Amino acid sequence: MALRTVTGIALEARGLRAAFTERGRAPRSILDVRQFRIEGGAQVAICGPSGSGKTTLLHLLAGLERPRRGSIRWGEVEITTFPERAADRWRRETVGLVFQQFHLFPGLSALENVLLPLRFDRWAIEPVLRARALKLLERVGVRPAGDVADLSRGEQQRVAAARALLRKPAIVLADEPTASLDRDAANVVADLLSSLCRGANATLVVATHDPSLAGRLDGAYDVVDGDLRPRGPFAVRPPLRSAA
Amino acid sequence: MNPLPLVAAELRRNPSGCAAVVALIAVAVALGVALSAQERAWRQASAGVELTVGVMMRPADDMPLEHRLEPHPHPPVAPLPIAGRLERSGPPWNGNRANLIPVEALWSMPPGAGDGRVSASSRVGPPWSDAELRSVPAVVRPLAAGDADRVRQQLRGRETAALFPIEVHDQPYVELGKVRDLLYSVTFAFDGLLVTAILLVIVAVLSSRRQSVGALRALGAPPAFVFVTVWLQGALLIGAGVLFGLGLGFALAKAISAYVGAQLGFAVDATIGVPELAFAAALLVAGSLFAAAPSLPLLRVPAARLLRLT
């Protein structure tokens, strides 16, 4: 099965409202986004204090949550009205996710962790895809063998980045990817995420409060009162660096 | 989909926990299997040798003459032809072990037993004089098992030559009853423990895996993948426990029958048969259904909520 590699399509949201429901509490309105557009292949930071709705926005883009109203479109595709199966498929085939807490699976090797998203819809891994996984691991500088539980936190997040990019996603969503890393590891991960997405021409949306990470990207939005405000004019995209 | 690598990794993560669950299930299954095999073996052993009509036998030998390896040193009663067979009366432990013989055969027993011939002037029935009693054969029919035991205790002695039915079956009854009651109570207690332990394991697994299930769903795993992954872990542990339990139960059944058999002088051979395999299969099916339980509540919670738990 060939991987779909449609890139260069913009993400657009309009009139997006979302509430955050905590168990046993009334829903709290958290996002009220009038309009935003992220060009295909662009790299954007979503900045704001914790609780401002960054994670909710990423979940909406990933199809993990549904807005109360409004729409998110990726080209002709309307994400917010996906039935569950279609949302699963959307995340599998189009979105790569990177989490603050990595969410790797201990007991599996780095290679098996990277290959895991392929296990969701196939029994055997094609040699081409295995080779791609090995190449990605080489790119992020982590040995494929050995339990991921034995890796440093920085190495674990690099494995998670490789996992997110394995299926050649059009969009990579990263939720505070450097927040639980020390400065040096954070820099390495930030560079890797940016250059891997650049190489794959994937759109990168990063929720972060790390100015150093935000500074590496094409531009940043601040979440203010639930709306997204562009932070100055977006930078011109830097030339393509080494491809993954 | 192929959840096997993930299932293997999850099981490898906690080898001691897995071993404990397998051991718990194995011991519970072993007790059940050993109990069932043991009970069946005793039922079969107590059915005794089939007596064929027309064959000669000595009543006290309890088996046809041609089955005896050595002649009885002091045959108490002359050989008698087997004239017929009683209907099976039903009690589980004795089958149809009772042999009815003509009372004349008792009267002709060797000296000390008396010839039982009564004169015309003799009176039959109580009150008996001590002198009479010592040489008069009597049939005492106790009304209850306790009475039979009391009769045996009072009349058993050097001067009496008597068959006390209660004596034949008393000892095996008591021993078997003890063994069975013990096994039953241990099994029940253990099954209670087992259910509690498995519930605790489920709660522990649930709470520790919420986030990783959320991560799987976020990465695009279909609910079926999550379900099969969680289910397989439980089903594999239960399957391994049942298999080990069968082996352990076989060994346990052999050991118990060897021990009890040696104590009572019975040859009892407990083996794993169809009922034990059916018991294990039923447990396996029930366990597999049970193993589906932990993943179901997880699948109903939206992945986004599972991910937010930190």
Side-chain angles (χ1 to χ4, degrees):
Chain A
M1 195 197 294
L3 295 174
R4 204 172 56 169
T5 52
V6 184
T7 54
I9 298 173
L11 264 176
E12 271 185 294
R14 260 171 220 287
L16 205 58
R17 275 172 182 248
F20 179 50
T21 314
E22 272 177 293
R23 188 175 287 210
R25 288 197 196 168
R28 186 160 55 93
S29 175
I30 193 163
L31 278 180
D32 187 2
V33 180
R34 263 169 294 171
Q35 192 264 333
F36 79 88
R37 179 184 165 93
I38 301 170
E39 297 298 334
Q43 304 198 338
V44 172
I46 311 287
C47 303
S50 52
S52 59
K54 305 190 298 288
T55 297
T56 302
L57 180 64
L58 289 192
H59 284 177
L60 291 171
L61 294 176
L64 276 167
E65 286 178 60
R66 288 189 191 191
R68 301 192 118 188
R69 63 177 62 143
S71 87
I72 301 172
R73 296 178 76 84
W74 183 69
E76 296 304 304
V77 181
E78 175 60 58
I79 296 163
T80 52
T81 56
F82 275 148
E84 195 181 342
R85 277 171 182 277
D88 290 344
R89 202 183 158 93
W90 160 258
R91 287 197 298 277
R92 247 189 344 263
E93 296 183 347
T94 316
V95 178
L97 278 169
V98 179
F99 309 94
Q100 179 176 350
Q101 294 299 334
F102 327 138
H103 288 312
L104 296 180
F105 291 82
L108 286 179
S109 67
L111 178 62
E112 274 299 334
N113 265 285
V114 173
L115 291 174
L116 186 64
L118 293 173
R119 303 278 186 200
F120 299 157
D121 55 9
R122 66 197 75 201
W123 178 258
I125 306 287
E126 297 92 317
V128 183
L129 296 175
R130 186 175 292 273
R132 175 169 164 77
L134 287 168
K135 201 175 158 198
L136 278 165
L137 280 172
E138 195 186 330
R139 175 80 178 78
V140 302
V142 179
R143 280 193 319 113
D147 194 335
V148 287
D150 301 332
L151 298 176
S152 72
R153 297 180 68 77
E155 286 173 321
Q156 292 194 24
Q157 193 61 306
R158 277 139 63 189
V159 172
R163 176 178 68 185
L165 278 139
L166 178 71
R167 296 188 71 138
K168 298 188 180 170
I171 302 162
V172 173
L173 305 174
D175 190 0
E176 298 281 11
T178 57
S180 65
L181 304 178
D182 61 50
R183 193 67 266 158
D184 289 346
N187 286 335
V188 173
V189 165
D191 278 340
L192 270 172
L193 258 183
S194 173
S195 63
L196 282 171
C197 290
R198 204 71 90 195
N201 200 29
T203 309
L204 174 63
V205 182
V206 182
T208 185
H209 56 252
D210 173 2
S212 149
L213 171 55
R216 281 161 215 265
L217 307 180
D218 302 339
Y221 286 98
D222 286 307
V223 185
V224 181
D225 297 331
D227 199 2
L228 293 182
R229 299 220 181 122
R231 188 190 283 177
F234 275 22
V236 178
R237 266 176 64 178
L240 214 64
R241 273 185 264 172
S242 60
Chain B
M1 71 172 91
N2 181 2
L4 294 184
L6 188 56
V7 168
E10 293 275 313
L11 292 179
R12 269 201 305 268
R13 265 174 82 178
N14 190 359
S16 51
C18 291
V21 169
V22 169
L24 273 172
I25 296 171
V27 174
V29 170
L31 284 175
V33 162
L35 175 66
S36 155
Q38 202 60 232
E39 195 175 18
R40 200 159 41 83
W42 279 102
R43 250 193 343 256
Q44 283 165 358
S46 59
V49 180
E50 283 290 320
L51 301 179
T52 314
V53 174
V55 169
M56 299 295 284
M57 73 164 288
R58 263 187 258 271
D61 291 351
D62 211 20
M63 59 177 66
L65 288 179
E66 67 252 35
H67 283 211
R68 279 201 70 87
L69 296 175
E70 302 160 18
H72 199 290
H74 306 287
V77 180
L80 293 162
I82 297 168
R85 184 179 294 127
L86 285 170
E87 289 297 313
R88 189 170 276 272
S89 54
W93 300 106
N94 69 352
N96 55 355
R97 285 178 66 82
N99 296 323
L100 302 188
I101 57 168
V103 71
E104 288 87 346
L106 271 181
W107 291 342
S108 65
M109 279 169 82
D115 63 5
R117 276 181 212 119
V118 281
S119 64
S121 62
S122 307
R123 202 174 41 83
V124 175
W128 289 288
S129 71
D130 281 353
E132 258 181 325
L133 245 180
R134 209 154 269 152
S135 58
V136 171
V139 174
V140 179
R141 186 198 282 172
L143 293 177
D147 297 336
D149 199 41
R150 226 168 294 133
V151 168
R152 180 179 67 89
Q153 279 176 9
Q154 280 177 18
L155 298 185
R156 188 92 166 94
R158 285 177 190 278
E159 304 91 53
T160 49
L163 179 74
F164 297 102
I166 190 75
E167 192 164 60
V168 174
H169 291 302
D170 186 44
Q171 203 54 23
Y173 253 133
V174 171
E175 295 299 331
L176 283 175
K178 276 186 200 159
V179 170
R180 201 172 55 151
D181 288 352
L182 180 74
L183 280 179
Y184 269 128
S185 45
V186 171
T187 304
F188 282 137
F190 210 88
D191 286 353
L193 268 178
L194 183 74
V195 169
T196 315
I198 288 183
L199 284 177
L200 284 175
V201 168
I202 286 174
V203 170
V205 166
L206 261 181
S207 51
S208 72
R209 299 300 148 80
R210 288 172 76 90
Q211 276 210 341
S212 56
V213 166
L216 278 176
R217 300 277 292 118
L219 292 172
F225 182 90
V226 174
F227 174 83
V228 172
T229 303
V230 179
W231 174 77
L232 257 183
Q233 292 174 44
L236 284 176
L237 291 180
I238 290 169
V242 168
L243 276 182
F244 279 122
L246 267 180
L248 196 60
F250 180 73
L252 196 61
K254 288 278 184 205
I256 293 175
S257 57
Y259 175 76
V260 179
Q263 293 287 305
L264 298 175
F266 275 49
V268 184
D269 188 23
T271 53
I272 304 296
V274 175
E276 289 73 39
L277 292 177
F279 170 71
L283 269 180
L284 205 57
V285 171
S288 304
L289 293 176
F290 203 51
S295 61
L296 294 178
L298 282 180
L299 290 176
R300 287 168 48 168
V301 182
R305 189 181 296 166
L306 295 176
L307 274 178
R308 283 181 193 272
L309 302 162
T310 38

